[in-house]
Amino acid sequence: MRKLMKVCAVCLAIYIIYHDVTKGTLPVSEQKVAHAPSAKTETAASSSYRVIKVQAGDTLLSIMEREQGQSLPVSIEEIIEDFEALNPGIKATSIQIGKAYKFPIYK
């Protein structure tokens, strides 16, 4: 009986890991921050961008580092604001595997 329980627990753990890797990370509760849209956000939407398809294991930061090189010219907060301005209605924490999004390009 113990062996059966151990096998079931291992199978459940493998399934959970598989589901997390293939479907993306587990949902994270997002904090709502109310702020007025700034002029910087407006210009970010009209600035240059690149459309990139998200692969398994990608995060906003990993994609930006891969596209821009190892050092990013702006802060992480600015990258998140610009990403969300380019992709209205999409949070940076909720990108999905297989979908294409607009990512800002910095010089």
Side-chain angles (χ1 to χ4, degrees):
M1 187 68 169
R2 280 187 186 173
K3 287 183 180 181
L4 179 62
M5 294 298 284
K6 288 180 182 178
V7 169
C8 288
V10 168
C11 289
L12 180 62
I14 291 172
Y15 172 75
I16 290 171
I17 293 169
Y18 170 77
H19 185 270
D20 189 40
V21 169
T22 58
K23 302 293 183 187
T25 59
L26 297 175
V28 177
S29 63
E30 298 177 19
Q31 297 178 353
K32 303 279 182 186
V33 178
H35 65 281
S38 63
K40 183 175 151 185
T41 305
E42 296 298 324
T43 58
S46 63
S47 66
S48 61
Y49 63 87
R50 181 176 295 150
V51 177
I52 300 172
K53 186 175 180 181
V54 177
Q55 300 172 356
D58 280 347
T59 63
L60 177 60
L61 187 58
S62 68
I63 292 170
M64 293 302 298
E65 286 176 344
R66 183 175 62 229
E67 294 298 317
Q68 297 288 325
Q70 290 300 324
S71 63
L72 296 173
V74 295
S75 68
I76 295 171
E77 291 81 15
E78 187 174 343
I79 292 172
I80 292 171
E81 288 176 12
D82 291 345
F83 174 82
E84 291 175 353
L86 288 169
N87 301 285
I90 305 294
K91 293 287 184 186
T93 57
S94 64
I95 60 175
Q96 297 178 351
I97 298 169
K99 292 192 177 183
Y101 299 99
K102 297 176 185 176
F103 291 87
I105 297 175
Y106 301 103
K107 296 179 182 176

